[in-house]
Amino acid sequence: MENNYFVHETAIVDEGASIAEGVKIWHFSHIMSNCVIGERCNIGQNVVVSPGVTLGKNVKIQNNVSIYDGVTCDDDVFLGPSMVFTNVINPRSAINRRGEYAKTHVGKGASIGANATIVCGHDIGAYAFIGAGAVVTKNIPEFALVVGNPARQLGWVGEYGHRLSFNTEGIAVCEESKQEYKLENNTVKRIK
């Protein structure tokens, strides 16, 4: 049976990996057994997807990203070039920490910028935007915009990635999509 996804001739796909229709796997990437890759994911050059990783639909992974056991990404997540996930809180070369991998979840539509680091055991909320080079050391709320080391919240962004400016009633409108959002109790929800 012919695959309904693309694998570049230099990439390696281990037996037991689940790869959905329309996926593209580019140069020198390694897809390990027992991972799940959803429809239409695009996996760039020199990417490693470890066993136990689950990627939703339409996840875009830029070059030089390693996704370790314990990471799950919902649909439409963007992982920028050379961003990093860790999977052990206190790694030591001489001590085996297999089986101690902390879970990291990236919510639907979230974007993680180039060279950002996500310390394991933290959740990135849906549509959150992590700036390039940021180091995330805590959970990030939905729609939050964070930058720096350690990452600090600058504001909020909408589903289209534009910064939101809330009026005195706590309402913001995305300049591109015209979607409306409400900020209440330090939580943003899309209302239209």
Side-chain angles (χ1 to χ4, degrees):
M1 183 174 154
E2 188 172 318
N3 293 333
N4 52 9
Y5 54 84
F6 169 79
V7 179
H8 189 270
E9 62 186 76
T10 61
I12 297 170
V13 176
D14 291 347
E15 191 171 320
S18 174
I19 302 172
E21 184 175 342
V23 170
K24 293 180 180 172
I25 301 168
W26 294 100
H27 309 66
F28 308 111
S29 290
H30 185 186
I31 309 303
M32 301 176 83
S33 62
N34 300 318
C35 66
V36 177
I37 300 176
E39 294 174 16
R40 301 179 323 279
C41 288
N42 190 38
I43 297 174
Q45 181 175 312
N46 197 33
V47 170
V48 174
V49 180
S50 294
V53 168
T54 299
L55 304 176
K57 297 175 185 172
N58 196 41
V59 173
K60 291 185 172 67
I61 305 170
Q62 302 300 299
N63 297 346
N64 307 312
V65 174
S66 294
I67 308 171
Y68 299 118
D69 191 358
V71 174
T72 58
C73 297
D74 288 346
D75 296 350
D76 304 319
V77 165
F78 176 89
L79 304 178
S82 302
M83 62 79 50
V84 174
F85 288 105
T86 69
N87 66 350
V88 174
I89 293 292
N90 57 345
R92 293 286 196 195
S93 178
I95 299 172
N96 186 341
R97 302 275 190 218
R98 285 182 188 247
E100 297 179 26
Y101 300 144
K103 304 287 185 200
T104 299
H105 177 256
V106 183
K108 178 179 172 62
S111 293
I112 300 175
N115 293 307
T117 298
I118 310 300
V119 175
C120 59
H122 300 102
D123 293 333
I124 309 299
Y127 300 104
F129 204 104
I130 312 300
V135 178
V136 172
T137 58
K138 60 185 178 184
N139 291 336
I140 303 299
E142 293 182 0
F143 299 104
L145 168 64
V146 301
V147 298
N149 178 10
R152 298 191 191 290
Q153 187 173 351
L154 285 185
W156 304 96
V157 293
E159 292 181 15
Y160 278 58
H162 296 289
R163 198 160 177 178
L164 298 174
S165 180
F166 291 91
N167 63 20
T168 55
E169 285 80 40
I171 305 294
V173 178
C174 171
E175 62 192 53
E176 183 178 359
S177 67
K178 309 305 179 198
Q179 295 170 336
E180 292 186 22
Y181 298 85
K182 178 146 182 86
L183 174 61
E184 192 170 52
N185 299 321
N186 207 33
T187 300
V188 170
K189 296 290 179 198
R190 183 177 154 201
I191 56 175
K192 286 187 185 173

